[in-house]
Amino acid sequence: MLQIKRCSLLASLLFASTSLLTHAQPAPVVRVNVAQPVADIQPTMWGVFFEDINFGADGGIYAEMVKNRSFEFFKPLMGWKVDGKKRTEGDVLIQNRQTPSANAGTQPEKSTNNPRYVRITTSNASQGDLSMTNEGFKGMGIKPGLRYDFSVLYRVQSGNLKLHVDLLNAKDDVVGSGVLIPEQSDKGWHKQQVSFKSTAGEQKGKLRIWFEGTGVLDVDMISLFPEDTWKGRPGGMRADMIQMLADMKPGFVRFPGGCIVEGHDLDQRYQWKKTLGPVEDRQLIINRWNFEFAHRPAPDYFQSFGLGFLEYFQLCEDIGAEPLPILNCGMACQFNTAELVPMDQLDPYVQDAIDLIEFANADVSTKWGKVRADLGHPKPFNLKFLGVGNENWGPQYVERLAVFQKALKDKYPTLRLVCSSGTDPNGERFDFLNGKLREMKADLIDEHYYRRPEWFLQNARRYDTYPRNGSKVFAGEWAAQSDKTVSVDNKNNWQCALSEAAFMTGLERNAAVVNMASYAPLFAHADGWQWTPDLIWVDNLRVYGTPNYYVQKLYSLNKGTNVLSLTQGPVWKDNEPLAGQDSLYASAAWDKATNEVILKIANVSDKAQARTFQFDGVKKVAANGTLTLLKNEALDAVNSFENATKVSPVEQRIPVDVKKKALSMTVAPRSFSVIRINVQK
Ligand code: AHR
């Protein structure tokens, strides 16, 4: 409150000086036609793109702290260190079950989706004799005084082994511990849990299990979760990361990618059906970002699918976003193997899509509706969008898409299909697909642009000339690159964020054409990224939003419901949108829920610029509005863990001229402003 007051005093001084200035030379006028909105803004307009890249899922939003819990990485003990003064040959053995055994106990034998487990053999072991230590994804983030839930699948072969579970800090001091005494000795697999509280915090912790007693014990799915997951769900998501998304109120979540959908080859494509049910049955595969970039290798990057499609749908429901799953279209990544499914063998892929719609939407009496209900979510998810293919291109894509389109539209005519326009926003590949997709009456064409900041400024009018009828645009992946695509030098700096803010005025102005947009990628772990820039950066305990995040958030929270025409006055060529003249970019929206005009103004120059925004077609304007200002004089300014809000929005009240029904303001240099003013029409 105090801060707002101080800001409004400052603002009044600023505006007083502005009006003195404007006495000398009247500020150019920008006209906002409030009376006649020109198009609807879709509730889905601003969303997020999620992919398991940069340790976004495993080691990221999936709160599992144990890396390689199932011993299914290529190297079965990757992430684990076996130690102890009484180590003997064969005391820790990797077993690989060939078929599900009949030896089931009270829990069914685990399937061969997860064939490996570890057999521990000890004799009279005590502390220090034999231990297994897990290093976590990039270490384990431990919070002081928090409950941690350790669980394991075990099978007692003989004897009476106990598991002592210690949380360690970076110096190997114990900062929390529990003991798990297997309760079942019937030679079946059992899951058991022990919880304990940590006594101190640590950024790079570890988990050590040491064994006490004599016996032979099989262990698998060794897991550790913090208590404070998103909504407190056991085995759930990292709450601080999800909160960042929830705070944006995104219109949609696109998942699970990205190139991960396509896979390096078809075997490694994303298959949603394999991501459901008990986590021990979800078959792990290598993550394509493990080896994609020789300059950023990540040999310990796999997909455990602990987060699967049910969890992604649930996330969307939690944060009020439309789910937008993207499925493989029978083509592997064309930058990699470019494998194709022969046309006469495409049916299973199409069936996967049909089944997904049933899984998401159908009644519990249907096969896949029942699967959803059995997994604990009888209520349908009301899926409205589905993507066919990620960055796929060429006639091979068109012919496969046509099969999907026919099958899906025949059965679900209102479902809106997202179709790929390839990898780039121009060039032969794009032109070919854009033409074909429009002929095919594609619902939404997915455009991607990873380009330099200048491109974003030059393209602020990209959609002004797009056809108003026919296919709509999903700006599905984009981000300004301070260096160049896939360069490790790209930074999430203010110049990039500001150029995106300027470009987005063009998306908003053309909401009649652009129905959805999302920055990409979404998350990056500071110690484990492959691709930069990214919207949100995390380490094991912290998270911060980049300047780009705040731009996205401001658009999303100030979406409005209708586009208003905003044109420059007679100083320039009349009736042109403000899209780069004098380095200013602006758009206007109407919010029918709150009766507010929302202005978005990016000033990419280093000069303050006076403007008068004249509201046409209104009876009354409120005497004050709200200005949310994102600015920095330095184009290379970035946020960081240490200075997470260096470039972040500040809110203040601003006076409006009720008589003239106009707002006169000085737009700060290198700034992005969002202004909300209550208006009576
Ligand atoms: O966002 C990173 C990658 O960029 C995506 O996986 C892919 O679709 C694009 O090439």
Side-chain angles (χ1 to χ4, degrees):
M1 193 65 193
L2 243 182
Q3 199 192 348
I4 291 196
K5 271 196 185 148
R6 223 179 290 136
C7 285
S8 55
L9 184 66
L10 247 172
S12 317
L13 288 172
L14 190 75
F15 280 94
S17 63
T18 307
S19 46
L20 283 179
L21 251 180
T22 53
H23 251 295
Q25 207 182 354
V29 175
V30 177
R31 307 206 81 91
V32 181
N33 184 342
V34 187
Q36 290 159 330
V38 289
D40 291 343
I41 297 173
Q42 299 301 316
T44 51
M45 182 73 185
W46 311 112
V48 294
F49 160 96
F50 178 81
E51 176 169 20
D52 192 2
I53 183 173
N54 302 321
F55 286 84
D58 285 306
I61 60 172
Y62 186 43
E64 173 63 86
M65 295 166 75
V66 176
K67 180 167 78 181
N68 193 12
R69 63 184 175 188
S70 61
F71 308 102
E72 300 299 330
F73 284 17
F74 291 170
K75 293 183 183 164
L77 284 176
M78 187 178 246
W80 293 94
K81 187 169 169 219
V82 180
D83 218 352
K85 53 183 187 288
K86 262 206 192 164
R87 280 224 59 191
T88 54
E89 199 72 46
D91 54 2
V92 174
L93 291 176
I94 306 297
Q95 309 273 311
N96 188 322
R97 67 172 71 67
Q98 302 300 298
T99 54
S101 86
N103 187 12
T106 52
Q107 261 211 198
E109 169 63 294
K110 294 185 296 92
S111 76
T112 47
N113 284 342
N114 172 16
R116 291 200 194 119
Y117 57 93
V118 166
R119 174 158 295 173
I120 309 288
T121 305
T122 62
S123 168
N124 250 331
S126 59
Q127 189 162 16
D129 288 346
L130 180 65
S131 65
M132 293 177 66
T133 304
N134 190 274
E135 66 190 26
F137 284 88
K138 304 290 162 192
M140 293 179 183
I142 300 168
K143 295 180 190 162
L146 190 72
R147 196 192 77 217
Y148 287 86
D149 300 327
F150 171 87
S151 68
V152 62
L153 270 182
Y154 70 88
R155 177 167 68 174
V156 175
Q157 293 291 352
S158 65
N160 58 356
L161 279 188
K162 283 184 193 168
L163 281 69
H164 291 262
V165 184
D166 292 340
L167 276 181
L168 304 180
N169 66 14
K171 291 188 212 138
D172 284 351
D173 303 324
V174 176
V175 292
S177 57
V179 185
L180 189 143
I181 305 172
E183 284 162 3
Q184 313 280 336
S185 53
D186 57 5
K187 296 207 171 172
W189 283 99
H190 301 279
K191 184 174 178 186
Q192 200 171 313
Q193 178 175 319
V194 62
S195 298
F196 52 88
K197 279 201 172 172
S198 58
T199 54
E202 173 61 55
Q203 173 75 242
K204 296 267 180 191
K206 288 179 265 188
L207 173 76
R208 180 174 62 202
I209 303 157
W210 61 270
F211 301 93
E212 185 190 348
T214 300
V216 180
L217 182 74
D218 295 335
V219 290
D220 199 357
M221 298 303 288
I222 298 179
S223 167
L224 186 72
F225 274 89
E227 168 192 12
D228 64 346
T229 54
W230 171 250
K231 291 194 180 284
R233 291 197 185 108
M237 302 193 190
R238 218 178 112 171
D240 57 346
M241 292 174 72
I242 301 301
Q243 192 60 53
M244 291 291 279
L245 303 186
D247 291 347
M248 295 171 80
K249 297 197 193 317
F252 65 89
V253 179
R254 167 182 169 159
F255 60 90
C259 292
I260 217 161
V261 169
E262 302 154 41
H264 173 82
D265 56 29
L266 283 167
D267 266 358
Q268 290 167 20
R269 74 189 189 276
Y270 197 102
Q271 299 186 59
W272 71 271
K273 287 176 183 165
K274 296 189 173 182
T275 72
L276 305 178
V279 287
E280 58 269 27
D281 293 337
R282 303 184 192 181
Q283 190 172 14
L284 174 139
I285 62 171
I286 194 167
N287 187 310
R288 56 159 295 129
W289 300 108
N290 179 310
F291 52 86
E292 181 69 20
F293 297 136
H295 60 282
R296 294 295 298 173
D300 58 347
Y301 204 0
F302 288 78
Q303 296 183 81
S304 72
F305 299 111
L307 286 186
F309 260 41
L310 183 79
E311 289 78 18
Y312 289 129
F313 276 113
Q314 178 69 68
L315 169 66
C316 295
E317 186 178 86
D318 289 349
I319 63 176
E322 294 293 345
L324 168 48
I326 308 280
L327 296 185
N328 187 294
C329 63
M331 301 173 79
C333 178
Q334 287 160 278
F335 288 119
N336 298 157
T337 60
E339 284 179 356
L340 296 173
V341 174
M343 287 302 289
D344 61 355
Q345 291 166 33
L346 195 58
D347 282 0
Y349 288 71
V350 178
Q351 193 59 47
D352 263 4
I354 290 172
D355 292 344
L356 179 64
I357 300 160
E358 191 174 297
F359 173 74
N361 292 352
D363 190 70
V364 298
S365 62
T366 62
K367 176 179 168 196
W368 284 100
K370 180 169 181 323
V371 172
R372 185 189 68 241
D374 290 348
L375 292 172
H377 202 288
K379 198 172 137 219
F381 288 110
N382 195 16
L383 178 70
K384 301 184 187 106
F385 302 92
L386 181 69
V388 179
N390 175 47
E391 280 185 347
N392 296 113
W393 67 79
Q396 298 75 19
Y397 174 64
V398 173
E399 62 177 339
R400 280 163 185 75
L401 174 67
V403 177
F404 276 86
Q405 194 187 34
K406 166 107 187 54
L408 294 174
K409 285 290 190 179
D410 279 357
K411 210 163 158 74
Y412 303 105
T414 59
L415 182 80
R416 298 189 72 200
L417 286 187
V418 170
C419 309
S420 162
S421 67
T423 52
D424 293 278
N426 47 22
E428 237 175 84
R429 204 178 266 167
F430 176 84
D431 292 341
F432 169 76
L433 280 177
N434 194 38
K436 285 283 175 206
L437 295 179
R438 284 175 189 279
E439 276 169 28
M440 290 167 78
K441 301 196 186 329
D443 295 317
L444 286 149
I445 300 179
D446 183 6
E447 296 190 2
H448 294 185
Y449 17 89
Y450 295 100
R451 291 289 191 269
R452 295 221 6 118
E454 305 83 67
W455 184 93
F456 283 86
L457 299 182
Q458 286 152 10
N459 279 271
R461 299 200 64 177
R462 175 178 175 90
Y463 297 108
D464 289 1
T465 48
Y466 265 51
R468 306 282 116 175
N469 298 321
S471 302
K472 303 295 179 198
V473 169
F474 167 35
E477 284 186 37
W478 47 275
Q481 316 284 297
S482 65
D483 187 22
K484 54 179 183 288
T485 321
V486 311
S487 161
V488 293
D489 295 326
N490 284 323
K491 296 277 177 288
N492 282 99
N493 66 28
W494 177 228
Q495 182 183 19
C496 291
L498 185 56
S499 70
E500 289 155 6
F503 173 76
M504 289 166 81
T505 60
L507 300 185
E508 180 177 284
R509 181 173 59 253
N510 289 291
V513 170
V514 182
N515 284 184
M516 305 172 107
S518 46
Y519 183 100
L522 183 55
F523 287 114
H525 192 292
D527 299 330
W529 57 272
Q530 295 78 49
W531 180 296
T532 185
D534 305 285
L535 203 60
I536 299 168
W537 286 78
V538 306
D539 63 16
N540 293 337
L541 289 172
R542 297 173 295 178
V543 51
Y544 75 85
T546 57
N548 318 68
Y549 169 80
Y550 289 110
V551 167
Q552 294 294 318
K553 185 173 166 186
L554 282 177
Y555 268 92
S556 189
L557 296 185
N558 296 286
K559 184 167 47 204
T561 49
N562 306 84
V563 183
L564 298 177
S565 132
L566 176 149
T567 52
Q568 55 188 2
V571 172
W572 307 280
K573 197 171 143 212
D574 248 343
N575 295 325
E576 286 275 303
L578 192 46
Q581 304 89 331
D582 293 337
S583 302
L584 282 179
Y585 300 77
S587 57
W590 172 247
D591 190 339
K592 65 180 171 210
T594 58
N595 285 336
E596 283 171 301
V597 171
I598 307 171
L599 301 178
K600 302 194 180 73
I601 311 155
N603 178 4
V604 304
S605 77
D606 57 2
K607 293 184 186 51
Q609 307 221 39
R611 288 292 179 277
T612 294
F613 292 88
Q614 181 67 56
F615 303 113
D616 294 336
V618 299
K619 288 201 188 106
K620 233 174 148 182
V621 295
N624 285 291
T626 323
L627 163 66
T628 310
L629 185 63
L630 195 54
K631 74 176 177 109
N632 204 287
E633 301 269 315
L635 290 176
D636 60 357
V638 293
N639 290 341
S640 62
F641 292 114
E642 290 68 37
N643 199 349
T645 52
K646 182 170 178 174
V647 187
S648 61
V650 177
E651 203 176 292
Q652 62 193 56
R653 304 283 292 159
I654 49 165
V656 182
D657 189 330
V658 286
K659 252 198 182 154
K660 292 190 179 149
K661 296 173 191 152
L663 166 71
S664 292
M665 70 176 287
T666 299
V667 187
R670 292 179 176 161
S671 69
F672 175 52
S673 306
V674 178
I675 295 157
R676 298 187 74 113
I677 298 170
N678 213 276
V679 149
Q680 207 181 305
K681 290 218 247 183

CSV table of all heavy atoms in Angstrom, one decimal, residues 49 51 53 254 258-260 262 289 335 390-391 448 450 477 520-521 531, ligand 1:
chain,number,residue,atom,x,y,z
A,49,PHE,N,4.4,-23.7,-23.2
A,49,PHE,CA,4.9,-24.9,-23.9
A,49,PHE,C,5.7,-25.7,-23.0
A,49,PHE,O,6.8,-25.2,-22.6
A,49,PHE,CB,5.7,-24.3,-25.1
A,49,PHE,CG,6.6,-25.4,-25.7
A,49,PHE,CD1,6.3,-26.1,-26.8
A,49,PHE,CD2,7.9,-25.5,-25.2
A,49,PHE,CE1,7.1,-27.0,-27.4
A,49,PHE,CE2,8.8,-26.4,-25.8
A,49,PHE,CZ,8.4,-27.2,-26.8
A,51,GLU,N,8.1,-29.0,-22.3
A,51,GLU,CA,8.8,-30.2,-22.8
A,51,GLU,C,9.8,-30.6,-21.8
A,51,GLU,O,10.4,-29.8,-21.0
A,51,GLU,CB,9.5,-29.8,-24.1
A,51,GLU,CG,10.4,-30.9,-24.7
A,51,GLU,CD,10.9,-30.7,-26.1
A,51,GLU,OE1,10.9,-29.5,-26.6
A,51,GLU,OE2,11.2,-31.7,-26.8
A,53,ILE,N,12.9,-31.0,-21.6
A,53,ILE,CA,14.2,-30.5,-22.1
A,53,ILE,C,14.9,-29.8,-20.9
A,53,ILE,O,14.1,-29.3,-20.1
A,53,ILE,CB,14.1,-29.7,-23.4
A,53,ILE,CG1,15.4,-29.3,-24.0
A,53,ILE,CG2,13.2,-28.4,-23.1
A,53,ILE,CD1,15.3,-28.6,-25.4
A,254,ARG,N,0.7,-26.7,-23.6
A,254,ARG,CA,1.1,-27.6,-24.7
A,254,ARG,C,2.1,-28.6,-24.1
A,254,ARG,O,3.1,-28.2,-23.4
A,254,ARG,CB,1.8,-26.9,-25.8
A,254,ARG,CG,2.5,-27.7,-26.8
A,254,ARG,CD,3.1,-26.9,-27.9
A,254,ARG,NE,4.0,-27.7,-28.7
A,254,ARG,CZ,4.4,-27.4,-30.0
A,254,ARG,NH1,4.0,-26.3,-30.5
A,254,ARG,NH2,5.1,-28.2,-30.6
A,258,GLY,N,7.3,-30.2,-28.6
A,258,GLY,CA,8.7,-30.3,-28.8
A,258,GLY,C,9.1,-31.6,-29.5
A,258,GLY,O,8.4,-32.6,-29.8
A,259,CYS,N,10.4,-31.6,-29.8
A,259,CYS,CA,11.1,-32.7,-30.5
A,259,CYS,C,10.9,-34.0,-29.8
A,259,CYS,O,11.1,-35.1,-30.4
A,259,CYS,CB,12.5,-32.4,-30.7
A,259,CYS,SG,12.9,-31.0,-31.8
A,260,ILE,N,10.7,-34.0,-28.5
A,260,ILE,CA,10.5,-35.2,-27.7
A,260,ILE,C,9.4,-36.0,-28.2
A,260,ILE,O,9.4,-37.3,-28.1
A,260,ILE,CB,10.4,-34.8,-26.2
A,260,ILE,CG1,11.2,-35.8,-25.4
A,260,ILE,CG2,9.0,-34.6,-25.8
A,260,ILE,CD1,11.5,-35.3,-24.0
A,262,GLU,N,8.6,-36.4,-31.4
A,262,GLU,CA,9.0,-37.1,-32.6
A,262,GLU,C,10.0,-38.3,-32.2
A,262,GLU,O,9.9,-39.3,-32.8
A,262,GLU,CB,9.7,-36.2,-33.5
A,262,GLU,CG,8.9,-35.0,-33.9
A,262,GLU,CD,9.7,-33.8,-34.3
A,262,GLU,OE1,10.7,-34.0,-35.0
A,262,GLU,OE2,9.4,-32.7,-33.9
A,289,TRP,N,17.4,-35.4,-25.6
A,289,TRP,CA,18.3,-34.3,-25.3
A,289,TRP,C,19.5,-34.8,-24.6
A,289,TRP,O,20.4,-34.0,-24.4
A,289,TRP,CB,17.6,-33.2,-24.5
A,289,TRP,CG,16.4,-32.6,-25.3
A,289,TRP,CD1,15.1,-32.9,-25.0
A,289,TRP,CD2,16.4,-31.8,-26.5
A,289,TRP,NE1,14.3,-32.2,-26.0
A,289,TRP,CE2,15.1,-31.6,-26.9
A,289,TRP,CE3,17.5,-31.3,-27.3
A,289,TRP,CZ2,14.8,-30.9,-28.0
A,289,TRP,CZ3,17.1,-30.6,-28.4
A,289,TRP,CH2,15.8,-30.3,-28.7
A,335,PHE,N,15.5,-33.9,-38.3
A,335,PHE,CA,16.9,-33.5,-38.1
A,335,PHE,C,17.7,-34.7,-37.8
A,335,PHE,O,18.9,-34.7,-37.9
A,335,PHE,CB,17.0,-32.5,-37.0
A,335,PHE,CG,16.5,-31.1,-37.4
A,335,PHE,CD1,15.5,-30.6,-36.6
A,335,PHE,CD2,17.0,-30.4,-38.4
A,335,PHE,CE1,15.0,-29.3,-36.9
A,335,PHE,CE2,16.5,-29.1,-38.7
A,335,PHE,CZ,15.5,-28.6,-38.0
A,390,ASN,N,5.0,-32.6,-34.5
A,390,ASN,CA,5.7,-31.4,-33.9
A,390,ASN,C,6.3,-30.6,-35.1
A,390,ASN,O,5.6,-30.1,-35.9
A,390,ASN,CB,6.7,-31.7,-32.9
A,390,ASN,CG,7.5,-30.5,-32.4
A,390,ASN,OD1,6.9,-29.5,-32.1
A,390,ASN,ND2,8.8,-30.6,-32.3
A,391,GLU,N,7.6,-30.6,-35.2
A,391,GLU,CA,8.2,-29.9,-36.3
A,391,GLU,C,8.4,-30.8,-37.5
A,391,GLU,O,9.5,-31.2,-37.8
A,391,GLU,CB,9.6,-29.3,-35.9
A,391,GLU,CG,9.4,-28.0,-35.1
A,391,GLU,CD,10.7,-27.3,-34.7
A,391,GLU,OE1,11.8,-28.0,-34.9
A,391,GLU,OE2,10.7,-26.2,-34.3
A,448,HIS,N,6.7,-21.6,-35.8
A,448,HIS,CA,7.9,-21.6,-34.8
A,448,HIS,C,8.9,-20.5,-35.3
A,448,HIS,O,9.2,-20.5,-36.4
A,448,HIS,CB,8.6,-22.9,-34.7
A,448,HIS,CG,7.8,-24.0,-34.1
A,448,HIS,ND1,8.3,-25.3,-33.9
A,448,HIS,CD2,6.5,-24.0,-33.7
A,448,HIS,CE1,7.3,-26.0,-33.4
A,448,HIS,NE2,6.2,-25.3,-33.3
A,450,TYR,N,12.5,-19.1,-33.7
A,450,TYR,CA,13.6,-18.8,-32.8
A,450,TYR,C,14.5,-17.8,-33.6
A,450,TYR,O,15.3,-18.3,-34.5
A,450,TYR,CB,14.4,-20.1,-32.5
A,450,TYR,CG,13.5,-21.0,-31.7
A,450,TYR,CD1,12.9,-22.1,-32.3
A,450,TYR,CD2,13.4,-20.9,-30.3
A,450,TYR,CE1,12.1,-23.0,-31.6
A,450,TYR,CE2,12.6,-21.8,-29.6
A,450,TYR,CZ,12.0,-22.8,-30.2
A,450,TYR,OH,11.2,-23.7,-29.5
A,477,GLU,N,6.0,-22.0,-30.8
A,477,GLU,CA,7.3,-22.0,-30.1
A,477,GLU,C,8.0,-20.8,-30.7
A,477,GLU,O,8.2,-20.7,-31.9
A,477,GLU,CB,8.1,-23.2,-30.6
A,477,GLU,CG,7.7,-24.5,-29.9
A,477,GLU,CD,8.6,-25.7,-30.3
A,477,GLU,OE1,9.8,-25.4,-30.5
A,477,GLU,OE2,8.1,-26.8,-30.5
A,520,ALA,N,9.0,-20.6,-25.9
A,520,ALA,CA,9.6,-22.0,-25.7
A,520,ALA,C,11.1,-21.8,-25.7
A,520,ALA,O,11.7,-21.0,-26.4
A,520,ALA,CB,9.2,-22.9,-26.9
A,521,PRO,N,11.8,-22.7,-25.0
A,521,PRO,CA,11.3,-23.7,-24.0
A,521,PRO,C,10.9,-23.0,-22.7
A,521,PRO,O,11.2,-21.8,-22.5
A,521,PRO,CB,12.4,-24.7,-23.7
A,521,PRO,CG,13.4,-24.5,-24.8
A,521,PRO,CD,13.2,-23.1,-25.3
A,531,TRP,N,19.4,-26.2,-23.9
A,531,TRP,CA,19.0,-25.2,-24.8
A,531,TRP,C,18.7,-23.9,-24.0
A,531,TRP,O,18.1,-23.9,-23.0
A,531,TRP,CB,17.6,-25.7,-25.4
A,531,TRP,CG,17.0,-24.8,-26.4
A,531,TRP,CD1,16.5,-23.6,-26.2
A,531,TRP,CD2,16.8,-25.1,-27.8
A,531,TRP,NE1,15.9,-23.1,-27.4
A,531,TRP,CE2,16.1,-24.0,-28.3
A,531,TRP,CE3,17.1,-26.2,-28.6
A,531,TRP,CZ2,15.7,-23.9,-29.7
A,531,TRP,CZ3,16.7,-26.1,-29.9
A,531,TRP,CH2,16.0,-25.0,-30.5
B,1,AHR,O1,12.1,-25.7,-27.8
B,1,AHR,C1,13.2,-26.5,-28.1
B,1,AHR,C2,13.0,-27.2,-29.4
B,1,AHR,O2,12.9,-26.4,-30.5
B,1,AHR,C3,11.7,-28.0,-29.5
B,1,AHR,O3,11.8,-29.3,-29.0
B,1,AHR,C4,11.5,-28.1,-31.0
B,1,AHR,O4,10.2,-28.3,-31.4
B,1,AHR,C5,12.2,-26.9,-31.6
B,1,AHR,O5,13.1,-27.2,-32.6
